[in-house]
Amino acid sequence: MRTNRLIQTVEAHTEGLPVRVVTGGVGAFPGATMAERRDRFIADSDDLRTFLMCEPRGNGWLSGAILQPPTRSDADWGVLFIEVTGVLPMCGAGTIAVATVLVETGMVTVEEPVTRIRLDAPIGLIIAEVAVRDGRAESVTIVNVPSYAHALDQIVDVPGRGELACDIGFGGNFYAFVNAAEVAIGDGAADGQGVGIPFERDRAEDFIAAGRDVMAAVNEQMEPVHPESGYRGCEHVVFLAPGSDSGQSSLGVRHVLINAPGWLDRSPGGTGTSALMAVRHARGELELNTDFTNESFIGTSFTGRLVDETNVAEHAGVIPTITGSAWITGSAQYTLDPSDPFPAGFTL
């Protein structure tokens, strides 16, 4: 076997979302912080991301994480979160998978009943508390970054679909929240008179197409920018199921999550759950220290809680926790034959 690249991974899934965790074959990237390492990785090493995430080794709905030595003394490991679309500042489902892998492979000192892991991520320090029994990670609770409602009761004009009401929240990434029943398809969609998308699995492609349209319209008409970090752009759209509308269901929702450039997230979305809780709190519909269940399109769920209030520049914010589980599905070694016509993968 000829190869000029050998990458070791542990494969897992977080509530249905496949996550590829890189545990070996990659050195430390340059940078004094994980944010700087993210920038340098994007500039100089992005072919590693596409090698692992894109076809023929990956697919459009795969998530991933690259373990790194930490850049700060109070962290156990550093991590870069990767997807087909790029390198995320934070990923809740990815964090849950990473914490599970670290415990079950013995890459951290394991303590029962709870192992506390500190992860150095581009968005900041992420604390993960892993519930452990008989050496197995049963669930992971993460303390996420300060989250906030960026803009409420916005009207976005979506070409071919008419005007839609949406809220925009931040939970590590920006999310646009819209009601699935209001997203018109079919004849009359352009003037808002079409039929809403049924909340059924066989309508996944309809949701993906609508998610692309909403994302593009939001970024063109009201692109969100984080007031402190400067992180910008909405790359996630959440379609809330009937009965999950604001004011109707404050303690639990069902949803479809579409990620850029257009794929359906199998997990409930950790940063999305944080952003949604921040929006509900801003509306006075979710109090601190109250369980909030966010159910994915395939029926899995995260449990969130708001544990404190804070400020994000001029915005009132909250500190969320997210609890979910991941399961290891295998391990792999990925190689690159020098004659492979797709050394950096490809997308369709």
Side-chain angles (χ1 to χ4, degrees), residues 22-77:
V22 177
T23 57
V26 176
F29 299 105
T33 65
M34 288 308 297
E36 289 184 9
R37 286 187 182 178
R38 175 178 179 264
D39 291 341
R40 290 293 299 273
F41 179 90
I42 292 170
D44 302 332
S45 304
D46 202 47
D47 63 319
L48 175 58
R49 174 187 65 83
T50 57
F51 171 81
L52 290 165
M53 295 288 102
C54 298
E55 296 183 68
R57 298 165 192 86
N59 57 63
W61 52 91
L62 175 66
S63 191
I66 301 175
L67 294 178
Q68 290 277 284
T71 64
R72 47 194 295 169
S73 60
D74 58 351
D76 300 301
W77 284 90

Side-chain angles (χ1 to χ4, degrees), residues 14-341:
T14 301
E15 304 291 356
L17 175 70
V19 182
R20 178 165 293 160
V21 181
V22 177
T23 57
V26 176
F29 299 105
T33 65
M34 288 308 297
E36 289 184 9
R37 286 187 182 178
R38 175 178 179 264
D39 291 341
R40 290 293 299 273
F41 179 90
I42 292 170
D44 302 332
S45 304
D46 202 47
D47 63 319
L48 175 58
R49 174 187 65 83
T50 57
F51 171 81
L52 290 165
M53 295 288 102
C54 298
E55 296 183 68
R57 298 165 192 86
N59 57 63
W61 52 91
L62 175 66
S63 191
I66 301 175
L67 294 178
Q68 290 277 284
T71 64
R72 47 194 295 169
S73 60
D74 58 351
D76 300 301
W77 284 90
V79 60
L80 292 174
F81 298 106
I82 56 175
E83 290 182 348
V84 169
T85 54
V87 187
L88 300 179
M90 166 60 183
C91 178
T95 299
I96 291 171
V98 165
T100 299
V101 167
L102 290 174
V103 165
E104 297 204 6
T105 60
M107 296 177 72
V108 293
T109 300
V110 178
E111 298 180 357
E112 298 190 20
V114 176
T115 298
R116 198 165 191 257
I117 302 173
R118 300 166 180 84
L119 293 174
D120 184 9
I123 200 71
L125 186 68
I126 305 299
I127 307 298
E129 293 190 343
V130 187
V132 182
R133 184 168 64 177
D134 297 330
R136 183 189 176 276
E138 293 194 321
S139 66
V140 179
T141 298
I142 63 174
V143 181
N144 200 7
V145 298
S147 305
Y148 72 100
H150 184 80
L152 301 178
D153 299 319
Q154 302 298 294
I155 300 296
V156 58
D157 186 3
V158 183
R161 299 182 189 274
E163 293 185 341
L164 292 175
C166 77
D167 296 327
I168 298 175
F170 180 84
N173 301 289
F174 282 111
Y175 289 77
F177 298 97
V178 300
N179 295 322
E182 297 178 7
V183 182
I185 58 174
D187 294 339
D191 56 12
Q193 301 303 310
V195 179
I197 304 176
F199 201 83
E200 300 169 358
R201 284 200 194 184
D202 63 359
R203 307 312 291 265
E205 292 302 321
D206 288 330
F207 280 115
I208 291 171
R212 288 195 185 105
D213 292 344
V214 173
M215 226 177 292
V218 166
N219 285 320
E220 180 179 349
Q221 299 166 34
M222 56 187 76
E223 182 185 38
V225 180
H226 194 281
E228 295 178 343
S229 69
Y231 176 75
R232 64 194 308 131
C234 176
E235 296 188 341
H236 309 272
V237 175
V238 170
F239 295 104
L240 297 170
S244 299
D245 301 351
S246 181
Q248 295 184 25
S249 178
S250 61
L251 301 183
V253 303
R254 298 171 62 220
H255 74 279
V256 180
L257 170 55
I258 306 301
N259 302 320
W263 61 278
L264 194 154
D265 200 320
R266 275 64 175 163
S267 84
T271 57
T273 301
S274 299
L276 181 55
M277 289 193 296
V279 166
R280 293 294 168 93
H281 184 72
R283 291 188 176 280
E285 298 170 355
L286 181 63
E287 298 180 354
L288 296 183
N289 301 309
T290 302
D291 283 350
F292 178 86
T293 302
N294 196 16
E295 183 179 320
S296 74
F297 198 42
I298 64 170
T300 57
S301 64
F302 285 155
T303 299
R305 288 174 70 88
L306 301 178
V307 297
D308 203 357
E309 295 178 325
T310 187
N311 290 306
V312 181
E314 71 274 16
H315 299 276
V318 288
I319 303 297
T321 67
I322 303 295
T323 301
S325 298
W327 293 263
I328 291 178
T329 58
S331 60
Q333 291 185 328
Y334 290 93
T335 61
L336 176 61
D337 188 297
S339 65
D340 192 322

